[in-house]
Amino acid sequence: MSDLTKTDLTGSKLVSFEKLESGDYADALWIVEDLDFMQQAADGYLKIKVPGNDTIHSYKAKFVEAEPNGNMAWFGESLVSPDHWGYGYASFIIQDGDLLGHFTTETGAYSLHSIGDGQYVLVEYEDDGVAPICGMQAPNDEDEHDNQPPTQDRSSNCDVKVLVLYTSAALSKAENIDLGVKGFIAQANHILRNSQIYHQALTFFLAGHELLPGFVESNSIGFDLEELTASTSLAHARRDALNADCVVLLTDGDCDNALGLTPSCGPSVGGSFSIVQIDAAGPWKTFTHELAHQFGCKHSTGNSNGACEPVSFEQPHWFRCGGRDRYTVMEAGIPKKKDRISYFSNPSVNYHGHDLGTATRDNAAWLRAMACTVSGYRISEDMSAYIYGESQVCMSKIIDPAIFVAIANGGGPGPYTYAWQTAINGYTFSPILSTTHVLTLDLSSKQPGDVVFIRVTVTSAYQQVVFAYFSVFIIEDTPECLYTKPLQTKETLKDAFSFQAQPNPADKEVNVVLNAKESSLATIELLNLIGQVFSSTSLKTKFNERVEVSIKTSDLPTGTYLIRVTSGDNTEVKKVTIVH
């Protein structure tokens, strides 16, 4: 911790501090140092101490999304002891050395912002009053909002593209708008994963974020929402240009005692617009709350829904736990905003011995059911990438350089950027070896039995990021190995497969979802970094089939493992971390 105060800051550090100080809900601010955040995050645990309190707040990783360049999105929950979860959460994003995070304890809500040179501003938020988190209006034009596309087939991923706009007032308030927006998207995805809504069901992608020019905030969030959704609004043109399904406008205006607003009972094309007050977007999960309204998720019966009373299972859940009332994300009018936990209602999820829903309180089921409807508002290819090359190389062939080609699709208009890396253990990747779509690799030093792991990170012009993995096995010369196979081309893309492993980090089990593109014999294995196999499942897949396999991990020690999936002649490996 640090004894520094505002008077010790100059230049950009002072500007950052004063922006945070001007926040509508900032109660107290401190300057802290020596957090060693990156090392803690890599170890899977964070320890944070709030000045004036001797308690050390510990958080254990539940979901971590790390990129080769060191950027990271990290979500964890508080840990009172090695065997006992607490009631707080921590959600952080790191980009180019900058850090932004939100965390709660049993007694407060906080955010943490890097200002350079290993220094951070810690903000404690007010926790008074019962101001509604948001409101939801009945649609003004029933014909426009009720004209919904049909629910689509769930055989493929349903990724929803979100355009985040902001006003000049919100931009002047934000300490780092770029990092903040990406943090809001990451937090929304973490809450989905917490609620057992995994990647194959729904993922939010950032279609773009930019200033909405000429938009002047009024003293009424309802009036501002009408201006945002009007056919003459520039928001429509930007949405169309970027093929965005949903739009969220960040503001800093008077929100009529509401922190956000969405116009429709949804889901509907014309109603997929929301306004969110920027100071509340992350700390109180208002960004995620409003996005879920665009899918048709509602508040509790009679709770600020306008004419949109819940009718089926799209309601939040509330319950008494640890001596306090706890609320899932869609509850509104909460006396203590920190008591909104990072979950959507789901009766299949257990939280401190309490089921997080009932048959009529199941936001997770509703979001899964509506995901493909919302993702179909603006038809565009979701971004994907594959690596082509030889998965087995004979010893007699290693004298020749091996060539691997990345093929990318979707992600919006514009060029892709590539970053190739290799590893011998599946997780410690080298510095970037190539920045084109082709990697030429020298394998002359390898021996039979060696494995080379290859990863390419592909980024679209609109900053969507996907990873593709490939494994090369060095083997003794055999007739099959020496046979030269036809070079794979873009036309063979449909013959590949993909899989996801969630949650990651995992505790008691890992769920592997295989999206098969052909009829084949598939093998799903869990192994450690020296190749010891702990679990192996073989199954026959059909054309365009989605298969789920659960792998028990509760008996394995904490550490890094590999999920290896082989289907036909293709093999793909992904890293998974197990943390108990």
Side-chain angles (χ1 to χ4, degrees), residues 373-492:
T373 294
V374 178
S375 71
Y377 289 163
R378 296 292 186 268
I379 302 301
S380 65
E381 286 188 276
D382 294 319
M383 191 172 173
S384 62
Y386 295 89
I387 296 174
Y388 293 115
E390 293 290 344
S391 60
Q392 295 181 338
V393 176
C394 302
M395 277 299 296
S396 60
K397 290 185 177 180
I398 65 172
I399 59 174
D400 299 320
I403 297 176
F404 303 91
V405 179
I407 301 295
N409 292 278
Y416 302 108
T417 58
Y418 301 85
W420 291 87
Q421 297 170 291
T422 61
I424 60 174
N425 56 14
Y427 73 100
T428 305
F429 282 89
S430 65
I432 295 173
L433 301 175
S434 172
T435 56
T436 73
H437 72 291
V438 177
L439 172 67
T440 301
L441 194 60
D442 181 5
L443 299 174
S444 60
S445 63
K446 302 303 177 184
Q447 299 295 323
D450 287 349
V451 181
V452 179
F453 298 92
I454 300 174
R455 174 172 69 183
V456 62
T457 305
V458 185
T459 306
S460 75
Y462 287 94
Q463 301 305 302
Q464 289 190 31
V465 178
V466 295
F467 303 94
Y469 294 84
F470 198 81
S471 302
V472 182
F473 295 84
I474 310 301
I475 62 175
E476 296 281 6
D477 290 346
T478 65
E480 179 183 6
C481 172
L482 293 173
Y483 171 72
T484 302
K485 299 178 181 178
L487 181 66
Q488 290 179 298
T489 65
K490 185 174 180 179
E491 282 67 35
T492 65

Side-chain angles (χ1 to χ4, degrees), residues 35-317:
L35 291 180
D36 196 19
F37 184 92
M38 288 301 293
Q39 185 59 52
Q40 290 193 66
D43 292 340
Y45 292 88
L46 294 180
K47 296 183 182 298
I48 304 174
K49 183 178 179 182
V50 177
N53 188 322
D54 292 333
T55 302
I56 296 178
H57 303 285
S58 299
Y59 301 87
K60 175 183 174 182
K62 294 197 70 177
F63 301 100
V64 180
E65 301 167 25
E67 299 176 15
N69 55 12
N71 293 344
M72 178 188 301
W74 193 100
F75 178 86
E77 293 193 6
S78 59
L79 201 64
V80 178
S81 68
D83 300 317
H84 182 61
W85 291 100
Y87 297 104
Y89 79 92
S91 179
F92 287 89
I93 185 167
I94 300 172
Q95 178 179 290
D96 301 330
D98 288 329
L99 176 147
L100 171 66
H102 307 286
F103 66 96
T104 62
T105 68
E106 188 68 7
T107 58
Y110 304 86
S111 65
L112 190 66
H113 309 253
S114 59
I115 56 175
D117 301 323
Q119 296 175 343
Y120 307 82
V121 176
L122 177 63
V123 181
E124 181 177 22
Y125 290 91
E126 296 175 353
D127 204 22
D128 302 325
V130 196
I133 295 296
C134 83
M136 183 162 57
Q137 298 177 335
N140 295 323
D141 185 343
E142 296 291 341
D143 292 335
E144 175 188 356
H145 293 297
D146 286 347
N147 184 18
Q148 302 173 19
T151 300
Q152 297 182 8
D153 181 14
R154 290 315 317 270
S155 62
S156 61
N157 293 353
C158 293
D159 300 328
V160 170
K161 298 168 287 297
V162 182
L163 169 61
V164 180
L165 304 171
Y166 43 85
T167 64
S168 297
L171 178 61
S172 65
K173 172 67 69 67
E175 194 274 324
N176 185 330
I177 192 70
D178 179 68
L179 193 60
V181 168
K182 293 178 180 178
F184 303 151
I185 293 288
Q187 185 184 69
N189 282 321
H190 290 153
I191 293 173
L192 292 179
R193 308 300 175 248
N194 244 9
S195 311
Q196 293 185 358
I197 307 171
Y198 295 125
H199 180 274
Q200 68 274 11
L202 172 62
T203 297
F204 295 119
F205 283 98
L206 186 61
H209 61 97
E210 58 190 65
L211 178 71
L212 184 59
F215 193 98
V216 179
E217 301 172 33
S218 70
N219 291 323
S220 168
I221 190 173
F223 178 82
D224 288 346
L225 190 61
E226 290 180 3
E227 292 293 301
L228 176 68
T229 58
S231 60
T232 55
S233 171
L234 289 177
H236 288 275
R238 298 310 302 148
R239 180 188 187 186
D240 292 341
L242 298 178
N243 285 318
D245 303 303
C246 301
V247 179
V248 178
L249 176 66
L250 300 174
T251 71
D252 186 42
D254 183 349
C255 284
D256 302 334
N257 293 320
L259 305 182
L261 189 65
T262 302
S264 173
C265 299
S268 63
V269 177
S272 280
F273 291 84
S274 297
I275 288 182
V276 174
Q277 188 163 340
I278 192 168
D279 285 339
W284 295 315
K285 312 171 192 68
T286 308
F287 185 92
T288 304
H289 178 109
E290 295 301 328
L291 263 183
H293 274 323
Q294 297 190 25
F295 288 70
C297 292
K298 300 176 176 63
H299 303 158
S300 300
T301 303
N303 190 349
S304 301
N305 280 303
C308 305
E309 292 295 333
V311 294
S312 54
F313 55 99
E314 70 277 32
Q315 300 181 58
H317 185 62

Side-chain angles (χ1 to χ4, degrees), residues 336-375:
K336 300 293 183 181
K337 301 182 186 72
K338 66 177 179 297
D339 293 332
R340 172 182 276 175
I341 61 176
S342 296
Y343 293 80
F344 289 108
S345 57
N346 183 344
S348 298
V349 177
N350 190 274
Y351 181 87
H352 293 273
H354 296 264
D355 291 337
L356 286 186
T358 66
T360 58
R361 299 176 185 174
D362 194 349
N363 285 141
W366 185 264
L367 287 164
R368 284 193 292 264
M370 295 296 107
C372 288
T373 294
V374 178
S375 71

